[in-house]
Amino acid sequence: MSILIVNPFGIGDVLFTTPLIHTLKDAFPKSKLGFLCNKRSAPLLRNNPFINEIFIYERDDFKQLLSVSKLEWLKGFSSFIRQIKKARFDLAIDLSLSSNFGFFLWLAGIKKRIGYNYKNRGIYLTKSAKLSGYEDQHVVEYYNSLLELIWIEPKYQDLELNLRDEDRQF
């Protein structure tokens, strides 16, 4: 099984996904896990022993390309989608709350796409959970609750930060 987790938000939100990542690796020990995030969050994942590949989506970079020309934007966007498609993911867990990322995942040929149907934005998801906001529980619990859509019981709640020895010494 090959799984892509999508969380384009900030550093804290990416840290909140670490229990979900750990549970997925326990449930599918031979799986390949990819993560789509922004460039500020990517360093948090580089030392995560469960993440095999990181895809960086930086909205401002795509806006910049669009300001140069529509053709340049199309080339950049097509290249981004091809990178994901080439990785051949079986499942995507979309934490973005945006229909845009669901559409990207569909374009990349990922057949199973789960996430939240927040404000009816889950149109491109194959399975979704209704969400009106993060109000009654911690974000980690919301993220973990998506595992129920693929019949996995969440095992972890604690955040995990994997540092290199140099980082610890610093």
Side-chain angles (χ1 to χ4, degrees):
M1 164 109 23
S2 186
I3 304 167
L4 177 65
I5 301 162
V6 177
N7 192 329
F9 300 123
I11 292 168
D13 285 294
V14 169
L15 277 174
F16 294 154
T17 61
T18 57
L20 178 133
I21 292 166
H22 200 153
T23 298
L24 284 169
K25 197 60 173 183
D26 276 6
F28 305 106
K30 295 188 186 296
S31 66
K32 175 181 84 172
L33 295 181
F35 204 105
L36 189 155
C37 61
N38 64 43
K39 61 184 161 190
R40 290 181 322 279
S41 301
L44 292 175
L45 299 166
R46 286 208 167 85
N47 296 310
N48 188 310
F50 307 129
I51 298 295
N52 302 96
E53 192 168 4
I54 297 170
F55 299 89
I56 296 176
Y57 175 84
E58 194 61 40
R59 184 178 60 187
D60 291 342
D61 291 349
F62 282 102
K63 280 184 179 179
Q64 175 63 32
L65 281 177
L66 190 56
S67 73
V68 172
S69 82
K70 288 180 183 176
L71 181 60
E72 288 303 311
W73 176 86
L74 187 58
K75 286 179 186 177
F77 182 73
S78 296
S79 174
F80 175 70
I81 295 299
R82 275 194 309 274
Q83 284 179 335
I84 296 170
K85 192 171 193 155
K86 185 178 175 185
R88 303 180 63 123
F89 289 104
D90 303 303
L91 168 68
I93 300 175
D94 182 1
L95 304 170
S96 73
L97 308 180
S98 166
S99 59
N100 292 347
F101 286 94
F103 180 66
F104 298 168
L105 300 170
W106 175 78
L107 279 177
I110 302 172
K111 301 273 188 255
K112 296 177 188 168
R113 302 172 303 279
I114 68 169
Y116 288 111
N117 189 13
Y118 176 71
K119 296 185 178 181
N120 294 318
R121 297 178 187 162
I123 188 168
Y124 294 102
L125 301 174
T126 55
K127 282 189 180 180
S128 64
K130 195 82 169 146
L131 178 73
S132 57
Y134 298 120
E135 3 181 88
D136 301 332
Q137 53 190 348
H138 195 279
V139 176
V140 168
E141 294 174 89
Y142 280 102
Y143 288 175
N144 275 342
S145 71
L146 284 177
L147 294 169
E148 295 170 11
L149 295 174
I150 53 173
W151 304 283
I152 295 174
E153 183 72 31
K155 290 175 65 175
Y156 302 97
Q157 295 289 325
D158 294 336
L159 306 182
E160 300 174 15
L161 180 58
N162 300 284
L163 299 173
R164 298 176 304 171
D165 288 336
E166 308 89 76
D167 296 330
R168 280 190 190 86
Q169 289 174 2
F170 177 76

